[in-house]
Amino acid sequence: MPQQNPFALTRVQLQQGRYKAALKTAKAAMARHPRDPHFPNLAGLAMCGTGQQRAAIAMFQKAIRLDPHFVDAQRNMAQTLILLDMADKALTLLDRMVANDPGDEGAQYLRAQALANLGQTEGAESAAARAVALAPKQPRNYNLRGVLRNTLGLTDLALEDFQAALALDPTNVDTLINISLPLARQTRYDAALDAARRAVDLAPSHVGAHLRLAASYVETGDRAAAQEAYRRVLVLDPQNAEAIEHLAALQGREENAALSEAARAALKHAGSRHRDRASLNFALARIAQQAADVKTEARHLADANRDMARALPYDAQRDSALNDAIMAYFPAPPEASAAQEPVMPVYVLGLPRSGTTLAEAMLGAHPLVHPLGEQIIAGRLLYPLIEAGTPFGATEVADVLERERQMLPALPRGVAAYTDKMPENYRLIGFLKTVHPGARFVHLRRDPRDVALSMWRGHFSGSALSYTYDLRAMAHRFNLYAELMAFWHRLLPGQILDLSYEEMTADPEAASRRLAGYCGLDWVPQMARPEETEAAVLTLSAGQLRQPVHRNSVGAWRQHQEALAPLIAGLDPALWPGLEE
């Protein structure tokens, strides 16, 4: 019986998931055929299958040395570098590939992934668009572009891409997972939950599908279902860092006692994966917090934030320049306008973790107010203009207004106002007042030390809040915030409602009455009971909002004063008067 071709045998073993056998076959073939680049390439794939990604890089490099034009090996190496959080090195390789062959759809697709991992989302979306143009029948290209467009706030376009991907492959689980979040952002919560459920039904062993389903339950306030969904993830993947972190936030002290063992075991195997290490340390910090073990909590929080700061470094110089550029646009207040809008925008803003979710819930409890949660539309439309120094005249205002109308979710009939609680819209108050002269601005104020502790305990999505992972960076950003809010108050006296978190939690009825009056609404009693809201919450505050209003976190910074020392020392007393020990 003739011996099977080693190339064909290795490919079959890889397809069957027999990675150890494939590696053995490929290495034996490498010894017999030392000049054939195919075998080190196959060996690299087998190593990736056994979790040896770093060793696989050397194999792909060897294959490329043997054949510098070996495209498959180049793509495999780029993909592995991306998986190892070495997107910069992957991008260097992919740029060369695209320069040699602009029609290489696979390289364009991987280039989009690399750019996305480096935070260059617009460049990534352009690369994904080129991949779509090169291979319009390939669902993965629409899927990736949809993810990137969703990140950029282009929700409608993202949904079009996901729908195009599903038209090509209706059973694509990744697309169903990805379409769920933008559906939720458009307040189509039933459709979002249905997409996540379909993904789980199609692929009961797909960890990502269960994670998205669990997140959908968190967003809609079904705490018990969310816990069960995260537990199913841990049955499939006992060391899944994301599930451990979220489950720790949802469970009580007794339930978390067992989870701590899983978190510690997973941490030992996390290696150099910064984000996984951070998630697990955040989980262990939460468990220590429940046990009132301040020292252990502080240690895990320091480790978690250090890992996140390495993954997402903060650019203080860029932030300072942006503050200066924003203020330079407004040597005088925006021109007043008598124009009336059919539905009034209410921007709920301030530092993240300052109480914006609670304030929006109070407003959203009013029958004439539709809460939209955190919309990234304003930043998506305005920051490119600011960074380019584009004049903000009538033409630009009209363009922003038209594009905003296209991007906003549909509003129910009969509402008088909608809320956008993107906290960091505080930077854009002057621009938003220019676009919407009748808009209301609700500014949440809270002791910056309590805000800092809440941020230090938090694990945020995306790179926009990279300053929260470094206490000195946090102090720098807090000072910029205080400087800018003082500027807006001078520019627009009496037009911004300051609402204290401490007062809001002490007397919800009085606070909600102030909110109603400022927005020109008749107060209704349910505004004082925001925990009864049925609205979905798509932020870190989702679990907390389901509890009655409380003051448990007021002054909590005092127990963590030593850990927060770099933040406290960095706060400018001139910008933060009245802070007492």
Side-chain angles (χ1 to χ4, degrees):
M1 180 177 177
Q3 186 175 9
Q4 187 172 358
N5 180 299
F7 179 77
L9 177 59
T10 307
R11 286 176 61 89
V12 168
Q13 290 168 331
L14 287 171
Q15 290 168 359
Q16 294 175 342
R18 298 164 55 204
Y19 300 115
K20 290 183 179 178
L23 182 57
K24 182 178 180 181
T25 305
K27 283 190 170 181
M30 285 171 60
R32 292 194 300 272
H33 308 282
R35 305 301 302 168
D36 190 330
H38 292 89
F39 294 113
N41 180 50
L42 292 172
L45 290 173
M47 286 177 171
C48 287
T50 58
Q52 303 175 68
Q53 283 85 1
R54 292 189 179 276
I57 293 293
M59 288 295 176
F60 296 136
Q61 288 173 329
K62 182 172 184 177
I64 295 167
R65 283 196 301 271
L66 291 169
D67 180 1
H69 303 292
F70 192 179
V71 173
D72 281 350
Q74 292 173 336
R75 288 179 184 167
N76 292 335
M77 181 172 169
Q79 182 72 81
T80 307
L81 287 169
I82 292 169
L83 291 172
L84 289 170
D85 283 334
M86 300 167 70
D88 51 343
K89 294 183 178 180
L91 188 59
T92 300
L93 172 60
L94 292 163
D95 283 345
R96 287 201 305 266
M97 294 178 68
V98 169
N100 291 332
D101 182 6
D104 187 340
E105 173 264 338
Q108 293 284 11
Y109 176 83
L110 290 171
R111 189 168 179 273
Q113 285 188 330
L115 287 165
N117 283 21
L118 292 169
Q120 300 177 39
T121 311
E122 292 189 355
E125 193 269 345
S126 296
R130 287 192 285 274
V132 168
L134 290 166
K137 298 296 185 182
Q138 176 60 266
R140 71 173 187 177
N141 294 330
Y142 292 101
N143 205 359
L144 177 58
R145 188 173 67 174
V147 169
L148 296 166
R149 285 177 163 177
N150 191 49
T151 302
L152 290 169
L154 305 173
T155 308
D156 287 347
L157 294 177
L159 286 172
E160 287 180 10
D161 274 340
F162 294 138
Q163 288 159 355
L166 287 172
L168 292 165
D169 182 3
T171 61
N172 188 289
V173 174
D174 289 334
T175 309
L176 288 166
I177 295 168
N178 291 334
I179 201 173
S180 177
L181 182 57
L183 285 170
R185 283 182 173 162
Q186 285 204 338
T187 67
R188 296 164 61 184
Y189 303 117
D190 290 342
L193 188 57
D194 180 63
R197 284 173 172 159
R198 284 172 58 202
V200 169
D201 289 342
L202 285 165
S205 298
H206 194 297
V207 169
H210 285 281
L211 285 170
R212 180 56 210 151
L213 180 59
S216 294
Y217 286 132
V218 171
E219 292 156 5
T220 54
D222 195 338
R223 194 181 186 94
Q227 291 181 48
E228 182 57 32
Y230 283 125
R231 289 176 188 135
R232 285 197 295 271
V233 172
L234 294 179
V235 170
L236 296 168
D237 181 6
Q239 295 183 349
N240 188 279
E242 183 179 345
I244 290 172
E245 179 183 11
H246 287 294
L247 196 53
L250 291 167
Q251 292 186 155
R253 179 176 175 178
E254 291 184 6
E255 294 171 306
N256 274 340
L259 187 65
S260 66
E261 296 181 13
R264 295 178 196 283
L267 189 58
K268 288 180 180 178
H269 293 89
S272 61
R273 298 193 300 275
H274 293 313
R275 287 179 171 82
D276 282 354
R277 291 182 58 84
S279 287
L280 295 165
N281 272 306
F282 277 124
L284 289 166
R286 170 62 177 164
I287 294 168
Q289 178 189 352
Q290 290 174 324
D293 187 343
V294 175
K295 288 186 177 180
T296 300
E297 181 191 3
R299 185 177 74 251
H300 286 299
L301 287 177
D303 289 345
N305 284 288
R306 182 168 52 248
D307 271 322
M308 288 305 301
R310 287 170 179 164
L312 299 170
Y314 172 63
D315 189 340
Q317 185 175 358
R318 181 179 181 276
D319 250 5
S320 294
L322 182 60
N323 242 41
D324 292 340
I326 287 169
M327 291 187 287
Y329 268 91
F330 295 96
E335 292 185 13
S337 170
Q340 295 292 319
E341 296 186 70
V343 183
M344 177 179 64
V346 180
Y347 296 98
V348 182
L349 41 78
L351 285 172
R353 314 301 293 160
S354 63
T356 54
T357 299
L358 178 58
E360 185 192 44
M362 286 181 170
L363 281 167
H366 196 288
L368 297 181
V369 179
H370 187 63
L372 292 181
E374 293 186 2
Q375 295 291 316
I376 62 174
I377 296 172
R380 168 69 181 130
L381 295 178
L382 293 168
Y383 283 129
L385 297 175
I386 298 167
E387 291 171 352
T390 304
F392 199 59
T395 300
E396 290 75 23
V397 170
D399 181 61
V400 167
L401 189 57
E402 178 58 30
R403 292 172 66 191
E404 180 191 69
R405 285 173 179 157
Q406 295 172 0
M407 296 165 71
L408 272 174
L411 300 174
R413 290 183 180 179
V415 299
Y418 69 85
T419 59
D420 176 350
K421 66 157 284 294
M422 176 57 71
E424 298 205 357
N425 278 343
Y426 74 80
R427 290 178 140 182
L428 304 173
I429 288 176
F431 299 93
L432 294 171
K433 183 68 174 175
T434 305
V435 175
H436 297 288
R440 300 291 191 270
F441 300 92
V442 179
H443 171 224
L444 272 296
R445 306 185 70 143
R446 185 182 182 187
D447 188 313
R449 297 161 296 189
D450 277 336
V451 172
L453 175 60
S454 185
M455 286 182 172
W456 196 237
R457 286 170 165 166
H459 190 182
F460 302 93
S461 61
S463 59
L465 300 180
S466 59
Y467 65 90
T468 65
Y469 304 120
D470 181 309
L471 289 165
R472 291 178 178 82
M474 208 186 293
H476 179 267
R477 182 60 176 266
F478 281 23
N479 289 337
L480 292 180
Y481 150 80
E483 177 187 37
L484 195 51
M485 283 310 306
F487 173 78
W488 294 133
H489 276 295
R490 290 194 300 271
L491 191 75
L492 301 166
Q495 299 183 55
I496 301 168
L497 174 66
D498 284 334
L499 194 62
S500 161
Y501 174 81
E502 290 78 9
E503 293 174 6
M504 186 167 57
T505 54
D507 192 343
E509 180 175 330
S512 61
R513 285 183 180 277
R514 285 189 66 200
L515 278 170
Y518 171 70
C519 294
L521 300 166
D522 292 328
W523 180 79
V524 293
Q526 55 263 42
M527 292 180 69
R529 300 188 298 274
E531 70 277 4
E532 297 175 3
T533 180
E534 295 181 359
V537 182
L538 305 180
T539 70
L540 196 63
S541 304
Q544 295 157 311
L545 182 59
R546 311 302 174 183
Q547 307 170 32
V549 177
H550 60 79
R551 293 176 53 80
N552 297 347
S553 61
V554 175
W557 69 270
R558 298 178 191 279
Q559 288 186 300
H560 301 267
Q561 190 166 355
E562 182 179 350
L564 295 174
L567 172 283
I568 295 170
L571 293 175
D572 185 343
L575 294 169
W576 296 98
L579 290 182
E580 300 176 357
E581 292 298 318

